[in-house]
Amino acid sequence: MEVEIISVGNELILGQIVNTNVAYLADQLRQIDLVAHYQTTVDDEPERIIAAVRTAQKRAQLVFVCGGLGPTDDDQTMPSVAKALGKELVLDEDHWATIQANFERRHVTMTPENIRQAYYLADGIALANPVGLALGTMVTTGKVTTVVLPGPPSEFKAMVKQSLLPELKKQFRVTNSIITRNLHFVGQPESLLMDEITSTLGNSPVVATSYVQPAEIQVRLKVSGMEATVAKQTLDQAEARIIAREKQYYFGTGDGLNLAGEVVRLLRAKGYRITAAESLTGGLFQSTLCSVSGASNVFNGGFVTYAAGAKEKLVGVPATTIQKYGVVSAETATAMAEGARQAMDADLGVSFTGVAGPDALEGHPAGTVFVAIAQKNYPTKAWQLKLTGLLGRQTIRNQSVAQVLLALYHRLQAEN
Amino acid sequence: MEVEIISVGNELILGQIVNTNVAYLADQLRQIDLVAHYQTTVDDEPERIIAAVRTAQKRAQLVFVCGGLGPTDDDQTMPSVAKALGKELVLDEDHWATIQANFERRHVTMTPENIRQAYYLADGIALANPVGLALGTMVTTGKVTTVVLPGPPSEFKAMVKQSLLPELKKQFRVTNSIITRNLHFVGQPESLLMDEITSTLGNSPVVATSYVQPAEIQVRLKVSGMEATVAKQTLDQAEARIIAREKQYYFGTGDGLNLAGEVVRLLRAKGYRITAAESLTGGLFQSTLCSVSGASNVFNGGFVTYAAGAKEKLVGVPATTIQKYGVVSAETATAMAEGARQAMDADLGVSFTGVAGPDALEGHPAGTVFVAIAQKNYPTKAWQLKLTGLLGRQTIRNQSVAQVLLALYHRLQAEN
């Protein structure tokens, strides 16, 4: 089945916003084995929307039209799709009542145009909007099913996940023999990781695809057309082989995992508290920990020790250590981690000191970063990260945080 | 002139990555008054690339083909465009020598395929790649100019900015009567801000368009077809009217500004040092400051005081203050900011305490955030931010940091 995604919006055509919706939809469709080979973007002009929908009707059997369902004059998608398909628009009375009630509750004056958000395409079904006011529609004409979705990413994602996908699975009897599994990695360039995974898989029926997030890589393993037990076995074997080879970069299998969340989970399971003294990262490690809901169970607080003086004053790095080895050194990193741990009476203390760039420091080029992990009753481990100045200031800081989180993950795992 | 952008790549079609290149290119083109009404995406299959290029030749006079210039078998863009246009591929001997030298310098073994990155389209010009190995091309056949660009965003942006735009301006004699100006805002929802700006502009010839970054909004003012002095005057007047109305959200005019950078610049100009005690933001304010190159001139270090105990221990918030008013209070925010300032002997101390959510704290719902600014020789100012739990944990943290940066910006500006 050919699939087409049409994105609608002046702000897309003008490059004012990045189109995250199309990537999200394509990714969701891929999980039910649908690939949208045709993807086009048009502005809010009715003639261009109509032309795009008509073109799509000729070459695809499943067509998505995304964006332009707001209440203003700019929003021409629903009437344009109706015109392209030769359909009437129908008022959903229940939804119109919901919109009115919503405005009343918020004490906001409704404009007459808001009724437009309660219309959908005749002979189709209305797709509920779990977080916004505009209805979506799904309608089949001849051999083509057309789906209309709203533009704001939060509404778009909620409608795709909660209203559209269940309907698609029902209408297209999507085979359930596709089984996927998500593995998570950090610290290895994506191209290298995927080369190694592809060679590890050899001629296995497992297909691996990667999805890059800032500082993390998600790899989805997929098998299809197999009996469930065999599929699970095949995935188990492939997963085990990949983890064995990429052990040092791997941090978990599952949906919605992230490295900081995993570290907080492991710390919590052990009843450990952690703290930090951060120089070049300037608080980014602690801020990343605190992005995890429930971080307060494992983190009381810590230090940003940017200047040499702050390293001495806040976490007691001896002035002699800094004089002898410099601030960019394993020795200073060790003293920072131990000093922070003691100051906060925590189980673990981590530290970051180095050169984010662009300028060199103490003769060290940008990308020279030392980190340390101090743990109660263990010798402190300090090491230099493998980073280069070419990465730029922000990536050096992000990668530093990610690599220490990964080291913590492995340490806490090994304790089990 | 009709413009078309064709994005090429399996990873785009599968939704594995978000297409930031097309937004970047469209935005850059808009600055020279070109709008790409046709935007399509295809995978790496030669037939689909060829079909897309041929379709574009019929409806556009300027066609961009982006991505798929790597050295592997997946990368089929250059030969496919050659085929679609009936052109030969030509080896750029100089560039091939550069590629070979690059591999030698990095002590990496070159594959025979790497020579593919040194080919461009016959009768066209090669576009230099300031940061990568693949050449771009610009070629005119009949009435259509076709441009081929590499996919990796860093290479793409560098080639567009440094190689393509100068060439486009030359070839298309872009009128210089378009004058633009970028204004920066924070803390106001984009739709509200743009409504107010549009009504402020009234029937002025100035066109305003917005560009939303996380927590910041850039508004570009544009006039065209005017004599330079008149254009400047018109923009001056529009800018002044907008700033007068949006004063509390405005933080500067210019290219490449960001709020943290402006605050660091102002602090530096005054010779001030700043510090912070952060609770719900967990180090995000300090990390944001440190994202600015040169932050070490204004920031020595500070505190993350997540737990109540850390607020007492690290920045000396009196236990009685916390007992009487709670950690989520203006009083605790005041004590945190003053304590941090004194502990670091800084000119300014800021603090953040509140509920990022999702759970309530001390009976306060998510989104309840108190902040304070303590300044040497001034009374400390503490206030509650206007935030709602609906924003979610990360946005509440980001907005808290942005609003305090904005307050610092206005305070430092007012001192001038």
Side-chain angles (χ1 to χ4, degrees):
Chain A
M1 183 165 65
E2 287 292 355
V3 180
E4 174 149 0
I5 302 174
I6 301 168
S7 304
V8 182
N10 290 338
E11 65 281 16
L12 293 170
I13 286 296
L14 297 175
Q16 294 174 285
I17 59 170
V18 168
N19 192 349
T20 54
N21 286 349
V22 71
Y24 179 79
L25 179 57
D27 185 53
Q28 291 294 318
L29 292 175
R30 189 160 55 108
Q31 295 185 42
I32 53 172
D33 234 20
L34 295 173
V35 176
H37 280 121
Y38 298 103
Q39 298 182 8
T40 55
T41 306
V42 293
D43 62 12
D44 291 310
E45 282 301 317
E47 310 82 68
R48 267 193 273 261
I49 301 172
I50 293 169
V53 173
R54 288 197 173 137
T55 303
Q57 302 290 314
K58 287 179 208 141
R59 62 190 181 188
Q61 292 77 54
L62 179 58
V63 178
F64 297 91
V65 190
C66 314
L69 300 188
T72 73
D73 282 346
D74 285 352
D75 297 297
Q76 293 294 337
T77 297
M78 199 62 96
S80 301
V81 174
K83 203 162 173 188
L85 301 180
K87 292 277 177 196
E88 297 293 314
L89 287 174
V90 190
L91 180 67
D92 183 324
E93 300 280 358
D94 286 350
H95 190 68
W96 177 222
T98 307
I99 292 179
Q100 289 169 303
N102 183 293
F103 275 92
E104 206 162 306
R105 206 171 55 238
R106 291 187 299 154
H107 306 289
V108 177
T109 315
M110 206 169 47
T111 63
E113 287 75 28
N114 277 100
I115 197 171
R116 292 164 53 173
Q117 297 191 288
Y119 279 96
Y120 67 102
L121 297 168
D123 309 323
I125 57 165
L127 294 172
N129 186 332
V131 298
L133 296 181
L135 274 184
T137 301
M138 181 164 180
V139 66
T140 302
T141 47
K143 286 183 178 166
V144 186
T145 298
T146 303
V147 179
V148 186
L149 298 163
S154 60
E155 298 183 30
F156 183 83
K157 287 182 185 178
M159 193 182 286
V160 166
K161 198 91 183 173
Q162 294 174 46
S163 307
L164 172 66
L165 288 177
E167 201 55 44
L168 283 180
K169 285 180 188 167
K170 207 162 67 189
Q171 292 209 16
F172 294 97
R173 287 190 201 79
V174 172
T175 161
N176 280 319
S177 70
I178 298 161
I179 303 187
T180 64
R181 196 169 291 179
N182 291 322
L183 279 64
H184 300 263
F185 302 88
V186 83
Q188 170 87 310
E190 187 226 358
S191 56
L192 217 60
L193 178 71
M194 289 309 289
D195 280 355
E196 292 184 3
I197 287 177
T198 308
S199 96
T200 302
L201 289 174
N203 52 13
S204 151
V206 175
V207 178
T209 44
S210 60
Y211 191 98
V212 182
Q213 285 119 353
E216 299 188 12
I217 302 165
Q218 180 185 314
V219 176
R220 183 177 295 141
L221 303 183
K222 186 180 90 170
V223 292
S224 49
M226 281 184 189
E227 189 272 316
T229 334
V230 182
K232 191 185 164 302
Q233 242 168 33
T234 309
L235 277 179
D236 285 347
Q237 284 166 7
E239 184 185 358
R241 286 211 307 276
I242 291 169
I243 294 174
R245 176 146 183 196
E246 307 296 340
K247 203 174 178 40
Q248 54 180 321
Y249 308 111
Y250 170 80
F251 71 87
T253 298
D255 292 334
L257 288 192
N258 70 70
L259 184 50
E262 289 303 286
V263 168
V264 168
R265 183 179 60 76
L266 289 171
L267 288 168
R268 210 169 162 173
K270 302 233 168 254
Y272 284 165
R273 298 228 157 225
I274 192 168
T275 186
E278 302 186 56
S279 187
L280 81 151
T281 47
L284 189 61
F285 172 83
Q286 296 168 80
S287 167
T288 304
L289 269 193
C290 294
S291 71
V292 179
S293 177
S296 58
N297 294 288
V298 304
F299 176 69
N300 286 344
F303 308 90
V304 181
T305 55
Y306 211 54
K311 292 177 180 67
E312 297 174 20
K313 187 170 170 185
L314 300 186
V315 295
V317 176
T320 50
T321 301
I322 294 179
Q323 278 155 26
K324 191 163 169 194
Y325 302 101
V327 292
V328 185
S329 66
E331 289 77 6
T332 296
T334 298
M336 287 167 68
E338 291 177 349
R341 193 189 77 70
Q342 283 158 22
M344 293 303 293
D345 192 20
D347 302 283
L348 288 152
V350 303
S351 68
F352 301 81
T353 182
V355 195
D359 300 327
L361 183 65
E362 294 179 348
H364 299 288
T368 313
V369 177
F370 288 90
V371 297
I373 300 179
Q375 182 171 3
K376 204 190 274 184
N377 306 324
Y378 287 86
T380 298
K381 188 190 164 200
W383 73 102
Q384 185 180 350
L385 300 180
K386 292 196 185 75
L387 296 169
T388 146
L390 295 174
L391 295 170
R393 186 173 174 89
Q394 304 320 333
T395 304
I396 288 171
R397 299 170 75 233
N398 291 334
Q399 281 287 345
S400 298
V401 169
Q403 293 199 24
V404 167
L405 283 171
L406 186 65
L408 285 168
Y409 175 84
H410 285 146
R411 174 183 285 246
L412 294 166
Q413 277 285 22
E415 274 192 37
N416 281 320
Chain B
M1 182 165 64
E2 288 290 355
V3 180
E4 175 150 0
I5 303 175
I6 301 168
S7 304
V8 181
N10 291 337
E11 65 283 13
L12 294 170
I13 287 294
L14 296 176
Q16 295 175 283
I17 59 170
V18 169
N19 192 349
T20 55
N21 285 349
V22 70
Y24 179 79
L25 179 57
D27 185 54
Q28 291 294 319
L29 292 175
R30 189 159 57 106
Q31 296 186 42
I32 53 173
D33 235 20
L34 295 174
V35 176
H37 280 123
Y38 297 102
Q39 298 182 8
T40 55
T41 307
V42 293
D43 63 12
D44 291 311
E45 281 302 315
E47 309 84 66
R48 269 193 273 261
I49 301 173
I50 293 169
V53 173
R54 289 196 172 137
T55 302
Q57 303 290 315
K58 288 177 208 143
R59 62 190 183 189
Q61 291 78 54
L62 179 57
V63 178
F64 298 91
V65 190
C66 313
L69 300 188
T72 73
D73 282 346
D74 285 354
D75 298 297
Q76 293 294 337
T77 297
M78 199 62 96
S80 301
V81 173
K83 203 161 173 189
L85 301 180
K87 292 277 178 197
E88 297 293 315
L89 287 174
V90 191
L91 180 67
D92 183 323
E93 299 279 1
D94 287 350
H95 189 66
W96 176 222
T98 307
I99 292 179
Q100 289 170 303
N102 183 293
F103 275 89
E104 205 162 310
R105 204 171 58 238
R106 292 187 297 153
H107 306 287
V108 178
T109 314
M110 205 169 47
T111 63
E113 286 75 28
N114 277 100
I115 198 171
R116 292 165 53 173
Q117 298 192 290
Y119 278 97
Y120 68 103
L121 296 168
D123 310 322
I125 58 165
L127 294 172
N129 186 333
V131 298
L133 296 181
L135 274 185
T137 300
M138 181 165 181
V139 66
T140 303
T141 46
K143 285 181 178 165
V144 186
T145 298
T146 303
V147 179
V148 185
L149 298 163
S154 60
E155 298 183 30
F156 184 84
K157 288 182 184 178
M159 193 182 285
V160 167
K161 197 91 183 174
Q162 295 175 45
S163 307
L164 172 67
L165 287 177
E167 202 56 45
L168 283 180
K169 285 179 186 166
K170 207 161 67 187
Q171 292 211 16
F172 295 97
R173 286 189 201 81
V174 172
T175 160
N176 280 320
S177 70
I178 299 162
I179 303 187
T180 64
R181 195 168 294 179
N182 292 322
L183 279 64
H184 300 263
F185 302 88
V186 84
Q188 171 87 309
E190 186 225 359
S191 55
L192 217 60
L193 179 70
M194 290 309 290
D195 279 356
E196 292 184 4
I197 287 179
T198 307
S199 96
T200 302
L201 289 173
N203 51 13
S204 151
V206 175
V207 178
T209 45
S210 59
Y211 190 98
V212 182
Q213 285 119 350
E216 299 188 15
I217 302 165
Q218 182 184 314
V219 177
R220 183 176 296 140
L221 303 182
K222 188 181 91 171
V223 292
S224 49
M226 281 183 186
E227 189 272 315
T229 334
V230 182
K232 192 187 162 301
Q233 242 168 32
T234 310
L235 276 179
D236 284 347
Q237 285 166 6
E239 183 184 358
R241 285 210 308 276
I242 291 170
I243 293 174
R245 176 146 182 196
E246 307 295 339
K247 204 174 178 39
Q248 54 181 320
Y249 309 111
Y250 169 80
F251 71 86
T253 298
D255 291 335
L257 288 192
N258 71 71
L259 183 50
E262 289 304 287
V263 169
V264 167
R265 182 179 62 75
L266 289 171
L267 288 168
R268 207 168 165 175
K270 302 233 168 256
Y272 285 164
R273 300 228 156 225
I274 192 168
T275 186
E278 301 187 57
S279 186
L280 82 152
T281 48
L284 189 61
F285 173 83
Q286 296 168 80
S287 168
T288 304
L289 269 192
C290 294
S291 71
V292 179
S293 178
S296 59
N297 294 289
V298 304
F299 175 70
N300 286 345
F303 307 90
V304 181
T305 55
Y306 211 54
K311 293 176 179 67
E312 297 174 21
K313 186 169 170 185
L314 301 185
V315 295
V317 176
T320 50
T321 301
I322 294 179
Q323 277 153 26
K324 192 164 170 194
Y325 302 101
V327 292
V328 184
S329 67
E331 289 79 6
T332 296
T334 298
M336 286 167 67
E338 291 178 348
R341 192 190 77 68
Q342 283 158 21
M344 293 303 293
D345 192 21
D347 303 283
L348 288 151
V350 301
S351 67
F352 299 82
T353 182
V355 195
D359 300 327
L361 183 65
E362 294 179 348
H364 299 288
T368 313
V369 177
F370 288 90
V371 298
I373 300 180
Q375 183 171 1
K376 205 191 273 184
N377 305 326
Y378 286 85
T380 297
K381 187 189 163 200
W383 73 101
Q384 186 181 349
L385 301 180
K386 290 195 186 77
L387 295 169
T388 144
L390 295 174
L391 295 170
R393 186 174 174 89
Q394 303 320 334
T395 305
I396 287 170
R397 299 169 74 233
N398 291 334
Q399 281 287 345
S400 298
V401 169
Q403 294 198 24
V404 167
L405 284 171
L406 186 65
L408 285 168
Y409 175 85
H410 285 145
R411 174 183 286 245
L412 294 165
Q413 277 285 23
E415 274 191 37
N416 280 320

